Amino acid sequence: MYHGWGKSRRYFEGWYVKLVDAGEQHALAVIPGISFDADGSTHAFIQVLDGKRCTAAYHEFDTADFRPSPHAFAIELGNNFFSNQMVRLDLPGLSGELRFSGLQPWPKMLGAPGIMGWYSFVPFMECYHGIVSLDHHIEGALQWDGRRVDFSGGRGYMEKDWGQSFPSSWIWMQTNHFDAGGPVSLTASVAKIPWLGSHFIGYIAGFLYGGKLYRFATYTGARMRAAIEGQEVRLSFQDGRHRIEITAHKAEGGDLISPVLGEMRGKVNESMQSTVSVEFYDRKQLIFSGAGRNAGLEVAGPVGELL
């Protein structure tokens, strides 16, 4: 749902809708959102990242065109519509309707209403994060640059962010394209988090495998290691029983606009063609090994402070 009721300055909110067709020839990230600057200037927007051609477009809308539901995730933005069930697009060169089924949301638990755990209740966080669906099926087609692109049988992913600014540095990766029976999905992030005049390195990873979501996070007491060498990013998360080893290889990406104190004036390069290798252990036994394709990958800011 929309969190920005009553906000008028230094605030942003956006949803990230990833779309990959069945043949994996087309990949899109469609990002609707709203921005309130420090001086109260505001606009709504839809960003579109073409993951294969590594190009991005930013479509600006009047704030009056942004109409969120107060009861559910349902956003009208001009003639466009976004929810966890469907997307309807009416943009220059991109239009049509896609429907989603078989959603895999991040489970809600007492004291941990989403991916951020109890940090969701802290009122002064710089940025909040949520998962709408780790994996789901897509049906429908889009008219894209004058041609019909069928997304039926494809796979999708949805998340959202809201607050004032993205962190000063972060690593983020996501993929749900593994050669495995049943849905397998990985999302992981590491970021520098401001905290009471200081900061800490926060991290969250979720691995959906065998019908169960395995969570590794700062608030679960999991341990994390990170390393970067050239275009290779390595993350390792471990708790009392499970360990996951992740190696991502960054591919070419496109530039997206990111929020700074609510204003959309930052820039982040995101690849949607990266690969992510995963090894997942139950105690010392390897129970999953595979490589995820069509991976989203961002490595932003002075990431040396995260390692």
Side-chain angles (χ1 to χ4, degrees), residues 128-151:
Y128 298 86
H129 186 61
I131 300 289
V132 181
S133 176
L134 290 154
D135 180 75
H136 50 264
H137 302 286
I138 304 174
E139 294 295 329
L142 298 176
Q143 290 293 323
W144 188 0
D145 290 341
R147 56 203 171 103
R148 182 180 184 274
V149 178
D150 189 0
F151 279 85

Side-chain angles (χ1 to χ4, degrees), residues 241-243 279-288:
R241 176 168 177 175
H242 297 99
R243 176 167 57 95
E279 291 184 347
F280 182 58
Y281 295 84
D282 184 346
R283 303 196 191 279
K284 294 185 178 181
Q285 182 181 0
L286 178 65
I287 60 175
F288 176 85

Side-chain angles (χ1 to χ4, degrees), residues 104-121:
Q104 300 281 343
W106 191 281
K108 294 177 173 61
M109 293 170 281
L110 185 65
I115 189 172
M116 291 186 66
W118 64 264
Y119 287 105
S120 301
F121 300 113

Side-chain angles (χ1 to χ4, degrees), residues 41-155:
S41 299
T42 179
H43 72 277
F45 60 87
I46 299 177
Q47 294 194 73
V48 179
L49 173 62
D50 183 334
K52 300 297 184 180
R53 290 187 283 191
C54 302
T55 58
Y58 191 93
H59 304 280
E60 192 168 320
F61 294 80
D62 289 336
T63 308
D65 293 329
F66 181 83
R67 299 180 296 276
S69 166
H71 307 296
F73 169 34
I75 308 293
E76 291 183 77
L77 188 41
N79 294 326
N80 304 272
F81 178 79
F82 300 86
S83 77
N84 63 345
Q85 301 295 322
M86 64 169 291
V87 165
R88 183 174 63 248
L89 298 175
D90 185 15
L91 298 169
L94 184 64
S95 61
E97 184 174 298
L98 303 176
R99 294 193 173 271
F100 310 134
S101 62
L103 275 70
Q104 300 281 343
W106 191 281
K108 294 177 173 61
M109 293 170 281
L110 185 65
I115 189 172
M116 291 186 66
W118 64 264
Y119 287 105
S120 301
F121 300 113
V122 177
F124 52 80
M125 297 290 285
E126 179 183 46
C127 184
Y128 298 86
H129 186 61
I131 300 289
V132 181
S133 176
L134 290 154
D135 180 75
H136 50 264
H137 302 286
I138 304 174
E139 294 295 329
L142 298 176
Q143 290 293 323
W144 188 0
D145 290 341
R147 56 203 171 103
R148 182 180 184 274
V149 178
D150 189 0
F151 279 85
S152 295
R155 307 199 76 85

